Amino acid sequence: MTNVSFDRIHDTYIFECCGHTGYSVAGRDILCSAVSVLCYTLRAYLEKLSDEGLLSDFISDFSEGNALMRFEYGDLADGARISEAVGAILSGFLLLEESFPDYITADI
């Protein structure tokens, strides 16, 4: 099972995705592929924002079956734009959970 969470602690946002879905055999698991695409999309977007100076303390750590991202953006004028884009990506995890509840949980 894959567990996805997105939390806010003060001004720090933490995204975690852990585990393989087990929907199919490794290398042929389309659900794991969908989860990976969403994780990599979120990381690419956050890296771009960090490069533009819109995020502070951006940390990304990807390992086999796990993804962790942590960042801050405080009260920036672009906060609403950032929240909307991150929310759109996170909604993909909620859709996967809705369609495949035995394989993915999303605490978002």
Side-chain angles (χ1 to χ4, degrees):
M1 168 147 317
T2 297
N3 300 299
V4 179
S5 65
F6 187 73
D7 296 303
R8 178 180 181 185
I9 301 171
H10 303 288
D11 288 338
T12 301
Y13 295 83
I14 303 166
F15 170 86
E16 291 184 273
C17 181
C18 303
H20 292 285
T21 65
Y23 183 74
S24 186
V25 296
R28 297 183 186 269
D29 191 329
I30 60 170
L31 188 52
C32 251
S33 295
V35 168
S36 294
V37 166
L38 289 170
C39 287
Y40 282 104
T41 301
L42 180 60
R43 181 172 73 175
Y45 180 70
L46 294 175
E47 284 176 343
K48 179 179 180 283
L49 293 176
S50 182
D51 290 346
E52 293 174 7
L54 297 176
L55 298 182
S56 59
D57 298 323
F58 174 62
I59 296 171
S60 171
D61 181 20
F62 277 52
S63 61
E64 182 66 30
N66 299 296
L68 169 69
M69 289 171 261
R70 189 173 68 217
F71 62 95
E72 296 180 12
Y73 66 84
D75 295 324
L76 296 173
D78 292 320
R81 178 180 69 109
I82 294 169
S83 291
E84 282 184 25
V86 169
I89 296 168
L90 294 176
S91 69
F93 291 105
L94 294 173
L95 291 169
L96 290 175
E97 178 189 43
E98 183 180 309
S99 298
F100 302 95
D102 293 337
Y103 301 97
I104 183 168
T105 62
D107 182 18
I108 297 172

